[in-house]
Amino acid sequence: MAVQLKRALTIGILAVSLGLSACVPLVVVGGVAMGAWIGSDPRPTKTITEDTSLGANISAKIIDEFKERAHVNVNTFNGQVLLTGEVPDAAAKARVEQLARSFSQTTRVFNDVVQAPPSSMADRLNDSQLSTRVKTAMLTNGGDAQAVHIQVITDRKVVYLLGMSSPQLADRAAQIAASVSGVERVVKLVQPLAPLPQ
């Protein structure tokens, strides 16, 4: 029953988010890692809808197959899929990636799940607080927020930067994220925009 409720809640919140403005950050508690946007979401509405649907469908497949044996977060951007969280073994890690790749909309998969017991709610709360602190640091020290279109996702104290930006601003964002106390690693998955004029 708990698995069905978790799945329904995850899919329901993702579905509701389709009607939100592109500049509103999407934060889902449960099966999806906490994320917060820096700047606006540059994707067309159709792409946002497709990405959100893709993420929900992958999450549903993983929950159906693994139930409570795995805790996998799915984040998507322009068809790219980021998988984080915990799985019981190497076979499960390979399987969740296979499930993510089974959708035609998937263009690339970043599989960063680890073999470990599912994280605790306290760990997940700490991750969400780290995301907030990283976002605050970027807005304070990152320069032109309108030129940065990055989602900050934190899982197991690892900060993932997913989105679009110029190479210079993406590098700066990664440096700022790494400087936040409690962050153990930064993974930059930012698609490049045109370089800033010199």
Side-chain angles (χ1 to χ4, degrees):
M1 181 67 178
V3 172
Q4 292 174 338
L5 180 61
K6 179 179 174 182
R7 177 183 174 194
L9 179 62
T10 299
I11 293 173
I13 294 175
L14 287 171
V16 168
S17 73
L18 295 177
L20 297 177
S21 166
C23 62
V24 176
L26 171 63
V27 179
V28 181
V29 179
V32 181
M34 307 299 285
W37 276 102
I38 308 296
S40 61
D41 189 332
R43 296 170 294 176
T45 302
K46 180 182 177 183
T47 303
I48 295 172
T49 301
E50 290 172 349
D51 281 343
T52 304
S53 177
L54 175 62
N57 289 332
I58 294 170
S59 291
K61 274 199 169 186
I62 292 171
I63 291 169
D64 281 346
E65 184 159 332
F66 289 94
K67 309 294 191 267
E68 298 295 329
R69 295 185 299 118
H71 166 250
V72 178
N73 304 303
V74 179
N75 287 273
T76 56
F77 187 87
N78 282 345
Q80 296 186 123
V81 178
L82 168 64
L83 303 174
T84 61
E86 303 82 29
V87 293
D89 50 43
K93 178 172 182 172
R95 178 59 178 158
V96 296
E97 180 170 337
Q98 183 182 36
L99 291 172
R101 292 185 185 280
S102 69
F103 292 88
S104 61
Q105 304 96 317
T106 301
T107 59
R108 187 171 182 185
V109 176
F110 301 101
N111 187 354
D112 214 15
V113 299
V114 297
Q115 297 175 47
S119 59
S120 68
M121 289 308 296
D123 290 334
R124 296 176 204 181
L125 178 59
N126 181 65
D127 285 339
S128 71
Q129 292 171 342
L130 278 176
S131 284
T132 300
R133 288 166 53 203
V134 168
K135 178 179 178 179
T136 300
M138 286 186 187
L139 290 173
T140 303
N141 305 307
D144 183 8
Q146 295 305 311
V148 181
H149 311 283
I150 296 176
Q151 189 177 17
V152 178
I153 301 156
T154 306
D155 199 337
R156 299 176 66 87
K157 301 179 183 177
V158 178
V159 172
Y160 300 86
L161 304 179
L162 186 66
M164 299 180 78
S165 181
S166 71
Q168 299 99 315
L169 288 175
D171 289 344
R172 177 68 178 144
Q175 291 168 0
I176 292 169
S179 73
V180 173
S181 176
V183 172
E184 294 186 351
R185 184 164 60 99
V186 177
V187 178
K188 190 173 57 174
L189 305 173
V190 181
Q191 296 175 353
L193 290 173
L196 292 175
Q198 296 297 319

